[in-house]
Amino acid sequence: MKKSLFSFSISRALVLAIMVTLAMEACKSKKKVAEPAPPPAPVEEVEETPPPAPPAPAPEEVAAQKLENAFNQVAAAGNTSIANQSVEETLSMFSNQEAPVLIVIHEENGIKDYDEPTTIRKYLEYLKDTKKNLNYISDIRLDANGKVSELELRRK
């Protein structure tokens, strides 16, 4: 049996074309691997400056933090003598024992409603008796000597 020359050459040509295509693909992938990587971009040297130091806290902020701690100590005192000692230490932070303490009970449109005004001594005695500190400092005023002259509190 004799095969036709035409069918033989088409199948050979097809096989040859497939082999050439595969060979070309293999060469392309080798070229991609063989190409050198582009040089890295030049890095500019930047002097790192330390971040600016946070501003020193205002005297009012320092006094408010100390007072919060003192109020918590009075409320958490284990016995009366410790509570009385904490009350006396706290009173030393005020300009006088009759410094006003205002407790905001409601605020609307910038208008504040206060509970009955009291003094710092009465407020500290209240903390000592109830053993609960339910307020936080919302405004504090210091006199020229750096002592607290007026205090405004709000419910936590």
Side-chain angles (χ1 to χ4, degrees):
M1 299 205 155
K2 208 176 199 192
K3 290 186 179 179
S4 77
L5 188 58
F6 182 70
S7 69
F8 182 71
S9 64
I10 291 179
S11 60
R12 260 189 199 251
L14 185 60
V15 170
L16 186 60
I18 291 173
M19 294 200 53
V20 169
T21 304
L22 289 174
M24 289 176 66
E25 288 296 320
C27 288
K28 285 183 183 177
S29 64
K30 285 181 185 176
K31 285 182 183 177
K32 287 181 183 176
V33 172
E35 288 180 10
V43 178
E44 294 181 23
E45 292 183 25
V46 178
E47 290 184 27
E48 290 187 27
T49 57
E60 289 84 4
E61 293 175 3
V62 173
Q65 186 62 41
K66 286 181 181 178
L67 276 177
E68 287 286 344
N69 292 338
F71 290 164
N72 289 331
Q73 282 181 342
V74 170
N79 60 43
T80 307
S81 63
I82 294 173
N84 288 335
Q85 182 180 0
S86 296
V87 165
E88 293 304 319
E89 289 173 5
T90 305
L91 285 173
S92 69
M93 299 172 68
F94 285 83
S95 58
N96 64 49
Q97 294 182 5
E98 301 302 314
V101 176
L102 305 171
I103 302 172
V104 178
I105 55 175
H106 181 70
E107 182 177 4
E108 189 173 331
N109 298 328
I111 299 172
K112 297 176 183 176
D113 290 329
Y114 295 99
D115 196 3
E116 181 180 344
T118 188
T119 64
I120 187 58
R121 171 152 307 270
K122 289 179 183 177
Y123 183 72
L124 290 171
E125 294 295 329
Y126 168 78
L127 288 177
K128 181 175 79 171
D129 293 342
T130 61
K131 299 193 179 301
K132 293 179 184 176
N133 183 13
L134 300 176
N135 300 312
Y136 68 92
I137 298 171
S138 65
D139 190 24
I140 187 170
R141 300 226 171 98
L142 303 178
D143 64 5
N145 298 327
K147 295 200 175 223
V148 179
S149 61
E150 187 177 321
L151 194 60
E152 184 177 283
L153 305 174
R154 289 181 187 260
R155 287 275 181 204
K156 287 184 183 178

